[in-house]
Amino acid sequence: MAQSPYAPSAVASIPAEVQQMAAYSQLGNFKKEYQPSFTNPLAIIGILIGSIVLDIAVLVALITFTGYLFYYLLIVPVLVLIWAINALKHYNWRIYLFNEGYIHARGSQLELFRWDQIQAVYVNVTRSRSRVNMNFQVRRGDGALWKYGSAIKGHSELGAQVQEAVTRVQLPRVIEAFNSGAQIPFGRLNVNGQGINDGKKIIPWDQIGTIEMNQGKVAVRQNGRLLTLSSIKASEVPNFNLLMSLVQYVVSRRQPQAYPQY
């Protein structure tokens, strides 16, 4: 008897139609489910109405007792309304992550994303003192583009998982194409046997250590110095993680091998 690729507890949490699509598409073992912070539309509407009523009550009280209008309180309902619209847009989203891809459920509508069918991942990373936030977009081979952000709990973790998996699948064929002499495009950046170019200038391989994100921009570490390509945002570069891995591969091949002394 064939063994199920899912643990019993995992099977109970995955809808039957998702299990069927995953099995048919050979997605492998189930890893984790991601869902929005707010999954009840009535709760979202309740928070919206309650926040507006409370804001109006505070505003009236302040005008009554102080005679002053605090204009910044007028912004609160607008901000809450924007939040509510975004929350209502995502409340029925569920992302089921597997070894070989993920299934995005929006109510009864299912979208399949196999790692080998994803064309590009775009990542926007912002940092604060307390955390790193990663919003990302996934473009499938058929052109469909899906955006994931703070409405989904654990979206930064999910983004990291998607990046790593897509890189794992795409890197071998990208390396093969590079070694055959092809130029590999990453949006406005191109990688070839000479180095990295942005369409205007080329940075040769003997001046490249790594390629990184620096305050949202693409940066190349040259001979210990960090050179920021100010006109290119990292969020505009497709598969930035794949680009970093390819550069690491090329640079490591160019470094002289250390042999033991006898």
Side-chain angles (χ1 to χ4, degrees):
M1 182 176 178
Q3 186 177 6
S4 170
Y6 316 116
S9 59
V11 172
S13 67
I14 306 175
E17 59 272 20
V18 173
Q19 293 185 46
Q20 292 171 4
M21 177 178 280
Y24 179 79
S25 305
Q26 299 181 333
L27 294 186
N29 292 335
F30 173 68
K31 298 177 70 175
K32 189 172 182 178
E33 176 187 350
Y34 294 86
Q35 58 181 259
S37 301
F38 293 87
T39 58
N40 187 333
L42 295 179
I44 296 170
I45 294 171
I47 293 172
L48 171 63
I49 295 173
S51 299
I52 293 175
V53 170
L54 179 61
D55 183 73
I56 292 174
V58 172
L59 191 61
V60 170
L62 289 173
I63 293 174
T64 301
F65 291 104
T66 68
Y68 292 101
L69 176 62
F70 291 80
Y71 290 99
Y72 64 86
L73 287 175
L74 299 176
I75 302 174
V76 173
V78 176
L79 297 177
V80 177
L81 178 61
I82 293 172
W83 167 83
I85 292 172
N86 189 51
L88 288 171
K89 177 183 176 182
H90 297 93
Y91 83 92
N92 64 347
W93 283 24
R94 303 291 185 274
I95 293 92
Y96 301 93
L97 183 67
F98 296 83
N99 280 348
E100 300 304 324
Y102 70 91
I103 294 174
H104 181 135
R106 185 175 58 176
S108 60
Q109 180 183 348
L110 301 181
E111 296 283 347
L112 172 67
F113 292 83
R114 281 186 55 89
W115 304 137
D116 55 7
Q117 295 174 350
I118 291 177
Q119 184 183 79
V121 180
Y122 298 86
V123 174
N124 184 20
V125 178
T126 55
R127 290 178 169 83
S128 64
R129 291 183 178 180
S130 59
R131 64 173 184 167
V132 176
N133 183 64
M134 180 192 297
N135 296 333
F136 66 101
Q137 303 178 48
V138 177
R139 184 180 298 281
R140 208 165 47 193
D142 61 0
L145 181 68
W146 289 80
K147 301 178 181 180
Y148 302 91
S150 58
I152 303 298
K153 285 191 296 187
H155 66 285
S156 294
E157 176 189 89
L158 174 61
Q161 296 257 22
V162 171
Q163 276 200 106
E164 291 170 6
V166 171
T167 298
R168 168 175 55 83
V169 170
Q170 293 192 8
L171 185 59
R173 61 174 178 259
V174 167
I175 288 176
E176 183 180 1
F178 175 85
N179 287 336
S180 70
Q183 177 166 273
I184 314 299
F186 291 89
R188 291 167 56 192
L189 292 175
N190 295 285
V191 178
N192 57 35
Q194 294 179 303
I196 300 174
N197 72 78
D198 61 0
K200 297 179 180 178
K201 61 181 179 180
I202 185 168
I203 304 174
W205 286 116
D206 59 6
Q207 296 181 20
I208 298 174
T210 59
I211 190 164
E212 308 170 15
M213 288 187 191
N214 182 36
Q215 298 181 345
K217 300 293 179 64
V218 177
V220 175
R221 192 167 293 279
Q222 293 181 293
N223 302 322
R225 295 184 307 152
L226 198 61
L227 172 66
T228 300
L229 305 179
S230 58
S231 63
I232 302 180
K233 296 180 180 179
S235 59
E236 297 173 350
V237 177
N239 300 322
F240 191 83
N241 196 64
L242 178 63
L243 171 61
M244 289 193 298
S245 297
L246 176 59
V247 170
Q248 182 182 27
Y249 164 79
V250 177
V251 171
S252 65
R253 286 185 63 202
R254 293 179 56 85
Q255 292 175 347
Q257 298 290 327
Y259 296 98
Q261 300 294 323
Y262 297 100

